Amino acid sequence: MSDFKVRLQKKAQFVNETLRRILDHQEIYGDLKEAIRYTLESPGKRVRAVLLLWCCELVGGRTNHNAEMASAAIEMVHTYSLIHDDLPAMDDDDMRRGLPTCHKAFDEATAILTGDALLTLAFEILAKEIDSPAVAVRLIRQLAEDAGASGMIAGQMADLRAQEFTGTKEILEYIHVHKTAKMFRCAAAMGAICGGATQEQLDCLGEYGLRMGLAFQIADDILDETASSEQLGKTAGKDLKAAKCTYPAVVGLETARTLQEQVTSEAVAVLKPFGKKADVLREFAQVLLQRTK
C-alpha cells in the first residue's frame, strides 16, 4: 500500500506541474491571478485528476496530451467548487487544505471571481488544447453535465436545503451522488474518452467512478465526526454543528462505515471486465477507503 501511495503522489505531482504550466501562460490581472494560484496550488490530493489519468491509461495504454489537459480542467472545476462552498453564504469555513480559505486570504468578492475564473478557464482549456474537435466536444459535454445544474450544483442546492429539515437516506443519497459522486464519474468518463474507450468501457468506468465517489463522500462524512481539524486541513465537526444531512447523522456511524465498505466493493466489482489491467483502480478504491484525511 505504501508503494501505491508513492505512485499516487507522483501522479498528483504530475497534475500540479501541468496546472502550474497552464497558469504561467495565462494573461490574468495581478490580484486575480494571485488568488487563482493560491487556491489552485494549495496542497490538494488531486484525486479526480489522477483518476482521469489512470482511466485513460487503462483503455489507451498511456497518458496522452488530451488526458493531461482534461485532468487540469477537472481540477480547476473542483477547486472552484471548494472556493464557493467555503463562502459565508454556503458552508462558511475558514480553512481548506490546511490554509485559510480564499475569502479569508483575500476577500469575499475576490473569492467569488476566482471561482468564476477557474470554472470558465477549465472549459477554455478543453476548447483550445484538446487535439480533436470531436473529443473536445465530448469532454466539454461530460464536464458541463456532471458539474452543472443536474450534477454537482444540484447536489449543493439539495445539501443546503436539507439543513432545514430531518434528512432521509433517499435525500442523503441524492445529495452525495450529485454533489460528489458525479464528479468522480466525470473524471473516469473523461479519462476513458481521452483514451479512446469503447462505449462498454466508458459505461463501466463511469459506474466505477460513481461508486467510488459515493464511497469517498461517505468517508468525508465519517471523518468530519472522527478526525481532527489538523488531519482534515479544514474545520472538523462542522457538519454535525450545522445539522447537515450526512450518513452518520441519518444512519449512524457504524452503519455508515459498513455502507462505505459495501459501495467500495461495488466499485471494485464493476472493474471485472478489465481483468488485472485495472488493478491500479482496485488499489485506488482501497486507499480511499482507508484514508484518514
Side-chain angles (χ1 to χ4, degrees), residues 58 271-280 282:
L58 175 59
L271 297 170
K272 187 176 180 180
F274 290 103
K276 290 186 67 64
K277 287 201 305 181
D279 279 352
V280 66
R282 294 185 181 94

Side-chain angles (χ1 to χ4, degrees), residues 79-220:
T79 302
Y80 123 78
S81 75
L82 299 182
I83 295 170
H84 283 193
D85 194 44
D86 290 332
L87 288 167
M90 302 282 271
D91 279 359
D92 193 14
D93 213 330
D94 294 345
M95 297 293 293
R96 173 68 70 174
R97 294 172 171 172
L99 298 170
T101 48
C102 189
H103 69 277
K104 288 294 181 181
F106 297 90
D107 55 68
E108 198 169 330
T110 300
I112 292 168
L113 292 172
T114 299
D116 294 344
L118 282 168
L119 175 60
T120 49
L121 181 57
F123 289 99
E124 181 182 339
I125 293 300
L126 293 176
K128 283 183 176 180
E129 298 294 336
I130 300 302
D131 60 23
S132 161
V135 172
V137 169
R138 292 181 70 193
L139 293 173
I140 288 167
R141 177 177 178 176
Q142 188 74 53
L143 185 55
E145 286 180 352
D146 285 330
S150 60
M152 181 176 63
I153 294 174
Q156 180 66 40
M157 191 71 190
D159 190 28
L160 291 171
R161 290 293 175 259
Q163 296 177 49
E164 300 169 4
F165 54 85
T166 303
T168 65
K169 191 177 177 184
E170 291 72 26
I171 292 170
L172 180 59
E173 185 166 339
Y174 178 90
I175 292 168
H176 283 14
V177 164
H178 287 75
K179 185 178 179 182
T180 303
K182 282 197 172 184
M183 284 300 287
F184 276 77
R185 179 183 72 182
C186 183
M190 289 175 77
I193 291 166
C194 289
T198 65
Q199 188 60 50
E200 184 180 0
Q201 290 174 325
L202 178 61
D203 292 343
C204 183
L205 289 174
E207 185 59 29
Y208 165 80
L210 196 70
R211 295 287 97 196
M212 199 171 85
L214 182 57
F216 186 91
Q217 186 56 55
I218 296 171
D220 255 14

Side-chain angles (χ1 to χ4, degrees), residues 189-265:
M190 289 175 77
I193 291 166
C194 289
T198 65
Q199 188 60 50
E200 184 180 0
Q201 290 174 325
L202 178 61
D203 292 343
C204 183
L205 289 174
E207 185 59 29
Y208 165 80
L210 196 70
R211 295 287 97 196
M212 199 171 85
L214 182 57
F216 186 91
Q217 186 56 55
I218 296 171
D220 255 14
D221 287 357
I222 293 168
L223 288 170
D224 184 73
E225 292 199 11
T226 61
S228 66
S229 296
E230 289 72 25
Q231 283 177 289
L232 296 176
K234 59 182 180 180
T235 309
K238 283 190 93 275
D239 290 349
L240 186 63
K241 290 176 185 175
K244 294 193 77 169
C245 189
T246 67
Y247 272 88
V250 173
V251 303
L253 197 56
E254 289 310 310
T255 301
R257 287 194 173 105
T258 301
L259 281 170
Q260 185 197 5
E261 292 176 2
Q262 177 187 323
V263 176
T264 300
S265 295

